[in-house]
Structures are given as structure tokens and as C-alpha cells.
Amino acid sequence: MNRLIVVGAGPIGLHAALQATINGFHVTVLERGDIGAAIRRWPHVKLFTPFSMNSTEAGRAAAAETAPLPHGNELLTGDAYVRRYLSPLAKSEQLRKQIQTSTELITVSRNMYGKKDAVGKPERSMSPFRLLVRRRDGSETVMESEVLFDCTGFTARHRSVGIGGIPCPGERNCLTDADFEIAAPQSQHGSSDHTVVIGSGYSAATSICVMQDSSLRVTWITRGARDVPIAPVADDRLPERRALTDQANSLALHPDSSIHWCPGAQIESMEHNSGQYRLNVSFANGHRQTLVCDRIVANSGFRPDSRPFEELQIHRCYATEGPIKLAAHLLGETADDCLNQTGGAVELLHNPEPNFYILGAASYGRDSRFLLRNGLEQIEQLFDQIPSPMKALA
Ligand SMILES: Cc1cc2nc3c(=O)[nH]c(=O)nc-3n(C[C@H](O)[C@H](O)[C@H](O)COP(=O)(O)OP(=O)(O)OC[C@H]3O[C@@H](n4cnc5c(N)ncnc54)[C@H](O)[C@@H]3O)c2cc1C
């Protein structure tokens, strides 16, 4: 049992691969894009957790072989985190030969067992995982491993902006994947007279703060009818997150700001004609309004892509799509602040498919409280428990 494949070269995939290498596994990392591909989509956004929380001692030691490291208390942008830490980590002696970029996992099963065979039985582990993989040139190949980690994150598929989280009429024709990204500074995007930002999470807050620097007219639509668009975390211990919340909320509430906040709005339908969008929105009091704009920034959140793994025996939560044991633990936690929630015991990472683990943001499914620190702890806990080739030799 010494071949281990990690799917995804984000921060968690890279740290998992490093730990697996240290434990004597023969490791391969499959990444469909480039190192840190998901984080490269928001290069200008500052992480609100300091570098010390987003790295490990082993990771820092490996990355330091090829580049000077950030200080522990630095708050890096997405770009700096990839450039100054993840890329050097990927180039380290331990990992550089293990990573295959532009290589996508299409689907995976077992050599001798299909989904319905040997249900929940440990003997499934006697047959290696069989992965269908697509390479950069479009060619397909099969790979095998005894252990498999899903570190594919949760940003592969966006959520819809329509009522109830399904697309509203017209949404699928009007919006492309690019419209669901956090807004970049104006200079990178060309001009637009009126932008509508949709969402009430930190991504939408970031888009709002980025856009207020320009002379844009911005309408900010949120579904909830709270006093402020972004619910502040009580006594927030992450100053950068608190500052983002305060700034976005005060922009929404200040009468002289260029941001017009539209709370309690539901998007009924949308159209796109001659470069302009028409959004039909409704409110709880029965009022209806049509907004005309040149650009939509839909920060409605993401959901994991479990499709490559659907031939395996994985028990997922019907609410969050995360693996059921961890999801049930997280749903039972009352803490709103992700700093206060606990990852739970290593048993929560087990599911019916032997030697298969969902780690990192993917393990939280639609639960947006994931912090890198939680994923790094999962890796540490897991390698304390799983039998490794190194321990077998000792
Ligand atoms: C805007 C934003 C700001 C955030 N700020 C913070 C913060 O300040 N602090 C914090 O702790 N957390 C933060 N997070 C949350 C979290 O830490 C990040 O989302 C982080 O990127 C999760 O790491 P990951 O390795 O689990 O997944 P990802 O970084 O999403 O990596 C997954 C990788 O898997 C690859 N992949 C997906 N499917 C396949 C496939 N089929 N085959 C091969 N490869 C595949 C992807 O291309 C990607 O490279 C933030 C998230 C966002 C969106």
C-alpha cells in the first residue's frame, strides 16, 4: 500500500503530498490547472489569516529550499501566497517530480469493484483505485493507486443567483463563469457605468470594496433583509476580516457613497441585450423592480464538484454535500466564527470507501467556514493514524 494519489495542487493538496512523501508513500499529485489554480483566480484579494496560519513547519522548511519565505504575521494577497509559498513548495526537492499539472482527474473507480460491489466492505481496499486522467494534450490514460486524496477544493462550480439557489430564467444564457469571480480593480476590467453586485459573503464584500475606488455606480443586491449586508463576527479576532466587513457595510449604508444597497431582493429573471442586462427583482412586500446594468458580479458562492468521485462509495451530506460524518459534526457546531469551530476527530474523515479521504475545502462542501488551518490540521491528524510505508519499515 504505497502508491498515493492526491487530486488538486492547492495549498491542502500540496501539504498532503509533502506529508505523504515524508511518510514514505510514492506520491503523485494531479492538478488540472497550475499550482494554486483556485487562488490564482483572486490574485488581488488579501487573505485575512496570517501566513503562519496558512503554512506548516514542514511546508516552510521545504519551500525555503528555493525561495525566501514571508514572515509569519504577514497578510499575503492570493498572488503573493502562490508566488512566495505554494510555487516554491511545489518546486522543493520532495515535491517537484511528483506533480503533474494540466492533468485532470475525469473519474475514478476500483480495478475489481464497481460502485455497487462489496458494499462498505474492507476488501475493496485490496483492489487499487483506477483513475481515468486527461493530460494537457487531450490524451487520456489510466493511473492506479492504493490511497486516494480528494483535495479538489470547493470552487469548481459556482452557485446560482436565482431564487432558492437555482438559476433564474435567463441566467444560464446571460452569465459566464467569469461573471462569478470577485471583481478585479477597475483598470483590469475596462469601464462600465452601472454594475450590479450580488451576494452577502466576504467575496461580495471584497468586490464592493474594490469597486468603490472607481467612479462606478454600483447596486449591491442581497437576499437577506438584515440591518447590514455582511453580518459581523462578534469580537472578530481577525483584524483584516473585521476591516473588510466594516468597510463594505459602511459603504452600503453611507448616503454619499457610490454603492446603492438593495436588501431583501430576489432575482426573478434576467436578460442580456445589446450589451445591457435587465434584472427583474422582487421584494417580500410584493414590490418589483427592473435594474438595467452593464455588468453583473455574481458572488453567490461555490459548491464542490463531486462528479469525478461518484463511482466510489462515499456517503455525503444532503445539505452541504460534504462527507457525512464531518458535515454532521459541522452542522452541530453553533459557532458563527470559523476560528471557533473545531475540525473534530480524525474518524470524521473516514467514509465507506477504504483509503479514500476528502481533505481541505472540499471536505466542508458548501459550508463556507473552512479555513486553511482546518485542512492543515486534518493532514496532521490523518498521518498520525493511517498506516504508512515508513512506519511499516520501522
Ligand atoms: C476569496 C477567498 C478568500 C479566502 N481567504 C481565506 C483566508 O484568508 N484564510 C483561510 O484560511 N482561508 C481562506 N479562504 C478559504 C480557503 O482557504 C481557500 O479556498 C483554499 O484555496 C482552499 O484550499 P484547498 O487546497 O482545499 O482547495 P483549492 O485551493 O480550491 O485547490 C483545489 C485544486 O484542485 C484542482 N482540481 C479541482 N478538480 C480537479 C480535478 N478533477 N483534477 C485535477 N485537479 C483538480 C483545482 O484546479 C485546484 O488547484 C478563502 C477563499 C476564497 C474563495
Side-chain angles (χ1 to χ4, degrees), residues 7-13 30-34 36-39 42 45-49 54 103-105 151-155 182 203 308 359-362 370-373:
V7 189
I12 300 306
L30 307 177
E31 166 55 54
R32 72 169 164 204
D34 210 341
I39 296 175
W42 38 274
V45 178
K46 212 190 244 184
L47 285 116
F48 42 63
T49 49
N54 308 333
T103 304
E104 180 177 15
L105 171 70
C151 299
T152 57
F154 78 132
T155 56
I182 294 174
S203 295
L359 303 174
F370 177 76
L371 283 182
L372 284 165
R373 191 182 70 172

Side-chain angles (χ1 to χ4, degrees), residues 6-15 29-42 45-50 53-54 75-76 81 86 100 102-107 134 150-156 182 202-203 206 238 240-241 302 305 308-309 338 359-363 368-375 378:
V6 177
V7 189
I12 300 306
L14 291 176
H15 282 94
V29 182
L30 307 177
E31 166 55 54
R32 72 169 164 204
D34 210 341
I35 303 301
I39 296 175
R40 288 172 193 262
R41 284 160 49 188
W42 38 274
V45 178
K46 212 190 244 184
L47 285 116
F48 42 63
T49 49
M53 277 177 68
N54 308 333
L75 296 168
L76 303 174
Y81 183 53
L86 298 185
Q100 302 184 10
S102 302
T103 304
E104 180 177 15
L105 171 70
I106 304 299
T107 189
R134 180 165 55 210
D150 169 3
C151 299
T152 57
F154 78 132
T155 56
I182 294 174
Y202 295 117
S203 295
T206 306
L238 293 173
E240 196 67 23
R241 184 174 61 181
F302 292 95
D305 188 358
F309 305 96
C338 39
L359 303 174
S363 70
S368 59
R369 291 175 296 168
F370 177 76
L371 283 182
L372 284 165
R373 191 182 70 172
N374 304 120
Q378 289 174 341

Side-chain angles (χ1 to χ4, degrees), residues 88-365:
L89 178 57
K91 286 184 194 140
S92 67
E93 185 62 30
Q94 291 101 314
L95 290 186
R96 68 193 157 88
K97 293 195 183 126
Q98 271 75 357
I99 303 174
Q100 302 184 10
T101 53
S102 302
T103 304
E104 180 177 15
L105 171 70
I106 304 299
T107 189
V108 53
S109 184
R110 294 257 183 199
N111 259 346
M112 285 165 48
Y113 298 110
K115 191 171 176 80
K116 289 188 335 195
D117 302 328
V119 177
K121 299 259 173 62
E123 61 252 37
R124 284 179 69 88
S125 67
M126 305 305 287
S127 172
F129 290 106
R130 180 181 177 83
L131 294 81
L132 176 68
V133 166
R134 180 165 55 210
R135 298 203 188 278
R136 186 192 306 258
D137 62 3
S139 63
E140 291 185 345
T141 189
V142 167
M143 296 176 82
E144 290 184 1
S145 72
E146 282 75 37
V147 186
L148 182 64
F149 289 174
D150 169 3
C151 299
T152 57
F154 78 132
T155 56
R157 299 165 81 188
H158 57 72
R159 288 193 235 162
S160 301
V161 300
I163 297 173
I166 63 166
C168 66
E171 180 176 337
R172 292 185 312 137
N173 288 334
C174 289
L175 301 183
T176 66
D177 286 348
D179 298 313
F180 289 84
E181 301 292 352
I182 294 174
Q186 177 72 355
S187 55
Q188 295 169 26
H189 252 287
S191 61
S192 116
D193 287 337
H194 181 206
T195 299
V196 169
V197 175
I198 304 166
S200 57
Y202 295 117
S203 295
T206 306
S207 291
I208 288 295
C209 293
V210 164
M211 300 189 103
Q212 64 91 32
D213 284 342
S214 65
S215 53
L216 285 175
R217 190 160 64 90
V218 176
T219 302
W220 186 4
I221 291 183
T222 58
R223 276 190 193 135
R226 291 190 294 251
D227 294 345
V228 285
I230 308 291
V233 171
D235 302 320
D236 198 342
R237 284 173 287 148
L238 293 173
E240 196 67 23
R241 184 174 61 181
R242 189 176 58 227
L244 174 66
T245 305
D246 289 349
Q247 191 189 359
N249 284 343
S250 66
L251 283 166
L253 298 178
H254 202 289
D256 294 335
S257 97
S258 60
I259 312 290
H260 170 66
W261 179 37
C262 207
Q266 302 274 16
I267 301 170
E268 299 275 349
S269 63
M270 64 174 75
E271 296 160 39
H272 189 214
N273 278 317
S274 316
Q276 288 207 309
Y277 299 90
R278 293 173 70 83
L279 256 78
N280 298 311
V281 296
S282 65
F283 298 84
N285 63 4
H287 179 66
R288 285 173 183 266
Q289 190 181 351
T290 299
L291 295 167
V292 179
C293 62
D294 326 83
R295 187 179 163 207
I296 293 176
V297 175
N299 292 153
S300 43
F302 292 95
R303 52 179 292 205
D305 188 358
S306 52
R307 290 172 295 190
F309 305 96
E310 64 192 10
E311 292 305 312
L312 299 178
Q313 294 181 352
I314 304 167
H315 189 179
R316 290 185 186 273
C317 171
Y318 49 76
T320 68
E321 298 179 77
I324 187 68
K325 290 182 185 170
L326 179 59
H329 168 79
L330 292 171
L331 287 172
E333 291 234 321
T334 51
D336 283 338
D337 184 358
C338 39
L339 272 186
N340 294 336
Q341 43 102 7
T342 56
V346 68
E347 285 69 33
L348 301 179
L349 299 175
H350 291 280
N351 64 72
E353 189 66 64
N355 300 331
F356 172 77
Y357 299 94
I358 306 177
L359 303 174
S363 70
Y364 274 51

